[in-house]
Amino acid sequence: MTEPAKAEPPFSASTGLEAEDPWLERVRDHIRTLPESGIVEVMNYGRDRPGMIPLWAGEGDVPTPPFICEAAAAALHAGETFYTWQRGLPELRAAIARYMTRLYGVKEDPERYFVTGSGMQAIHIAIAMAVTSGDEVIIPSPTWPNAAAAAQKAGARAVYVPFNYGPGGFTLDHDRLAAAVTPRTRAIFLNTPANPTGFVATREDLKAVLALARRHGLWIIADEIYGRFYYGDTPRAPSFHDVMEEDDHILFVQTFSKNWAMTGWRIGWIEASPKLGQIIENLIQYSTSGVAAFMQRGAVAALDLGEGFVAEQIARARRGRDLVGDALLATGKVDLVKPPGAFYLFFGIEGRKDVRSLGLTLVDEANVGLAPGTAFGNGGEGFMRLCFARGDAQLAEASRRLVAWLKGHGAA
Amino acid sequence: MTEPAKAEPPFSASTGLEAEDPWLERVRDHIRTLPESGIVEVMNYGRDRPGMIPLWAGEGDVPTPPFICEAAAAALHAGETFYTWQRGLPELRAAIARYMTRLYGVKEDPERYFVTGSGMQAIHIAIAMAVTSGDEVIIPSPTWPNAAAAAQKAGARAVYVPFNYGPGGFTLDHDRLAAAVTPRTRAIFLNTPANPTGFVATREDLKAVLALARRHGLWIIADEIYGRFYYGDTPRAPSFHDVMEEDDHILFVQTFSKNWAMTGWRIGWIEASPKLGQIIENLIQYSTSGVAAFMQRGAVAALDLGEGFVAEQIARARRGRDLVGDALLATGKVDLVKPPGAFYLFFGIEGRKDVRSLGLTLVDEANVGLAPGTAFGNGGEGFMRLCFARGDAQLAEASRRLVAWLKGHGAA
């Protein structure tokens, strides 16, 4: 377990975009070779199939609840269609601060929160501050690919450190993590609860990562967006908020997408020291110049009025996890540990190692859309990802189809 | 006029964010030193003054028209709140193609258009493809600062080439432009009609820039967002579309902000060879992961139903230009040429060279908000920018206040 982590390129899959064309040749190398999302590939393959049950993306099947849509529509009709604060509406920053204080018991300080045009943009901004050409970001893997791609876009390199995997599921390998630090390392990106593995860092994990970051002067980019989708005994997963000091260099990235069924809105926030405020404002200004004020009114409604909705979503995900997880386990043909957090099953199917083609096969033969583990970097080979943040009836039908397919074809 | 252009840093103003703090010290240099927008500074100074007439920003005073808001709100209520196509809704790409064919007579090809979360994001993407650390982008100046800042964010450097300025207004200095090309040059960013100068490239200018780009194998990033705010004898300004061949390496950045009064929405598009489609999709995926589908429905309505509104906006801007321009000229205290395009007056005030403090003074003493020319890079010193895309009554009042101030204080 102390074998040094190999520094892998972020993705094994090639985009096929070689520089044989004068158009492509002229594009900067690190941009031309950005990977195509391995999730989008199977989505585009299966998107239009009649009756398809799409469990490939990280989103539920519930549209944004009306009280959120109505707040946004009202602001739109009231003419909130002008340029606005680059850091976000003061009302939204205050609402985020109240929410974070309720959830994490932190000091209520709106100056710590900056509204972004998606959680993805929050990551993009955090990465831009932390790394540049030649730098390295450590990311436990398998993982959602976009953080590694954002590092590549900034000219840096993701260094994947594989989770350990065993009967207890995915766990962090602290020795390997420590061994992956080089003089070029600038940041550790930690997603907990994690997509796609369902890994949840313990308080001890978080302390150890924080100690490592302190020792080497690294940023921590903390992606805790699934913090409430936690199936343990507490209302949320452990957080860096529980173990950090005020002057620890942690950048939290957040999104409205998952808790409030707002995936399509593209709105999130970044939490950081107010000392970084002007830099974050500049990065927003020079990438998208802010988030629509009318959308921000919807986000205020989500935070202030959305607790009932969030509780329902979490209860539903917990049921979905058991429903699909137990059905697949009963076939005896899957390698699956029910995850303690997030809303994905990440599992292997007996005899099926080529999961990229398996994703397409399952579209054709089971009419269920799963994402191949190869879309999630080093360590994802051999796994499929299934999103269970959906309604009971649909998940029951998806389970039925998958179980039938496994019984008929599972062991190829 | 053949003196080689000096390679200036993008901005003369310092943000004051020196690395004296451990938080700031850890931020990558080219990000920490991104300039604060010189426009935001005066806006924050004057934003809350009662009765203030804000002519500092590049936006009008008309909210987005109801037919656009209603299309977006309808889609929102209909549940279009999920992840969507990273390149944009097919319906919107088709609507953009129809619009561009109507306006420019180009071949109708939806595959050339990619929806972005603002014109700023379109620039960000174009810059990311074209340049990386150590590269240079040539930008005629004074200019809207965000393109230079986007280049800096990508690790590259903006090389400003000053316009000539004389009794005929601002003109492009082709010798200086050619002399600014170095082995590190990768792109020319040309904004026409231009913010803040009102410069409009002639067909001959465009041919010359294109020839220069072809000779040196450079990208052209064409920002023609003010193309319809043109006060010449044709319905739009000359465009690279008029002079280019299909295989010229031109990236057009566009926005819904100006024509359709949608500044606050943050939606635009990039036009490029379909060969770049996958790369552009990846860049969208890894920076914001798309634009809200419900907003895109509003954008479709803008393109398909917005011609009457756009025509009104342009007629109003033309009136505004004459109203304020003539009033200021009559004082004899300004150095001003009424611009052939865009919607700004860019002018000097006799005896007032320190325009950064002049912006604050005018807030205090005339209750009118103008942007200082120093916000627009090399060559902007000594000028103020005034946006005239506003209602006649408000512009008449602003003129009255400015004229009174000029008579009382103009020659300090």
Side-chain angles (χ1 to χ4, degrees), chain A residues 57-207:
Chain A
E59 70 180 345
D61 56 345
V62 176
T64 310
F67 69 92
I68 297 174
C69 297
E70 280 154 19
L76 185 54
H77 290 306
E80 288 202 58
T81 59
F82 296 99
Y83 288 128
T84 187
W85 303 88
Q86 296 293 296
R87 300 182 190 200
L89 291 182
E91 296 88 335
L92 178 53
R93 300 178 73 197
I96 294 171
R98 285 194 300 274
Y99 170 80
M100 292 298 288
T101 297
R102 283 202 306 273
L103 194 58
Y104 293 102
V106 295
K107 193 178 79 173
E108 190 174 318
D109 179 3
E111 293 299 315
R112 286 184 61 80
Y113 305 100
F114 306 89
V115 179
T116 57
S118 70
M120 184 65 236
Q121 192 183 29
I123 291 172
H124 173 94
I125 288 170
I127 290 277
M129 286 196 285
V131 300
T132 187
S133 298
D135 291 341
E136 294 174 356
V137 185
I138 292 174
I139 310 182
S141 76
T143 183
W144 181 61
N146 289 28
Q152 179 178 337
K153 183 168 173 295
R157 209 164 61 86
V159 175
Y160 282 145
V161 174
F163 285 109
N164 290 327
Y165 180 65
F170 292 88
T171 53
L172 213 48
D173 185 330
H174 291 283
D175 292 333
R176 239 189 231 243
L177 213 55
V181 176
T182 78
R184 291 167 176 264
T185 309
R186 302 277 306 174
I188 300 171
F189 183 94
L190 190 68
N191 173 217
T192 175
N195 171 6
T197 56
F199 160 79
V200 176
T202 62
R203 197 181 164 95
E204 288 61 43
D205 283 330
L206 296 172
K207 278 186 180 166

Side-chain angles (χ1 to χ4, degrees), chain B residues 91-126:
Chain B
E91 295 87 335
L92 179 53
R93 300 178 72 197
I96 294 171
R98 287 194 299 275
Y99 171 79
M100 292 298 287
T101 297
R102 285 202 306 274
L103 194 58
Y104 293 102
V106 295
K107 195 178 77 173
E108 192 174 318
D109 180 4
E111 294 299 315
R112 286 183 63 81
Y113 305 101
F114 305 88
V115 179
T116 57
S118 72
M120 184 64 236
Q121 193 184 27
I123 291 172
H124 173 95
I125 287 170

Side-chain angles (χ1 to χ4, degrees), chain A residues 72-83 292-295, chain B residues 59-73 255-267 294-303 305-306 309-310 312-313 316 389:
Chain A
L76 185 54
H77 290 306
E80 288 202 58
T81 59
F82 296 99
Y83 288 128
F294 61 86
M295 295 218 302
Chain B
E59 71 180 344
D61 56 344
V62 176
T64 309
F67 68 94
I68 296 174
C69 297
E70 281 153 18
T255 180
F256 285 87
S257 290
K258 315 295 180 178
N259 292 345
W260 297 280
M262 293 169 71
T263 45
W265 289 53
R266 319 314 305 132
I267 178 165
F294 61 83
M295 295 219 301
Q296 295 191 56
R297 298 292 176 192
V300 170
L303 292 168
L305 310 171
F309 179 81
V310 174
E312 257 172 51
Q313 294 305 103
R316 192 167 176 259

Side-chain angles (χ1 to χ4, degrees), chain B residues 348-360:
Chain B
I349 293 179
E350 194 179 278
R352 296 282 183 157
K353 288 296 152 205
D354 179 0
V355 291
R356 208 169 165 189
S357 75
L358 178 57
L360 308 180

